[in-house]
């Protein structure tokens, strides 16, 4: 339904705020049964995410490559003007 509205607008409604307005309007107009369906899907997905997050043992941060030490006998850079 939203996609049809965007296609009919011929490029006028393809900005993010316009799309967000259409989506929020559709959400407000949903019946309680359909809204409950989506909220249940979100609840299950959140539980799945929390389970996967608790089982994750990989690196939390990507290690930063340390800069190699400069050769102390290397010539110094000239002073700038």
């Amino acid at each position: 339904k939203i996609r049809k509205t965007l296609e009919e607008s011929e490029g006028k409604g393809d900005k993010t705020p316009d799309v967000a307005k259409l989506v929020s309007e559709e959400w407000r107009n949903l019946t309680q049964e359909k809204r409950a369906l989506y909220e249940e899907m979100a609840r299950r997905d959140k539980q799945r995410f929390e389970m996967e997050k608790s089982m994750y043992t990989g690196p939390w941060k990507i290690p930063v490559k340390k800069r190699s030490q400069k050769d102390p006998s290397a010539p110094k850079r000239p002073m700038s003007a």
Side-chain angles (χ1 to χ4, degrees):
K1 201 171 186 181
I2 295 171
R3 189 167 297 210
K4 282 184 182 179
T5 307
L6 289 174
E7 288 171 355
E8 290 171 0
S9 66
E10 297 178 10
K12 295 178 183 174
D14 57 351
K15 302 249 190 292
T16 303
D18 298 332
V19 174
K21 285 178 187 176
L22 290 172
V23 171
S24 64
E25 183 180 328
E26 287 294 320
W27 178 255
R28 275 187 256 123
N29 294 335
L30 275 180
T31 62
Q32 288 296 332
E33 295 82 29
K34 287 189 178 183
R35 191 179 286 198
L37 175 72
Y38 287 111
E39 288 172 348
E40 176 63 22
M41 287 170 48
R43 186 187 62 75
R44 279 187 275 145
D45 193 43
K46 185 174 181 178
Q47 285 178 339
R48 178 198 54 83
F49 170 75
E50 291 296 332
M51 177 68 75
E52 289 178 6
K53 184 178 168 187
S54 67
M55 293 177 1
Y56 182 70
T57 59
W60 290 103
K61 293 184 178 178
I62 298 172
V64 178
K65 292 182 180 179
K66 294 183 179 180
R67 294 178 75 181
S68 60
Q69 293 291 328
K70 290 185 177 180
D71 183 16
S73 62
K76 305 282 188 230
R77 293 179 71 170
M79 293 177 63
S80 62

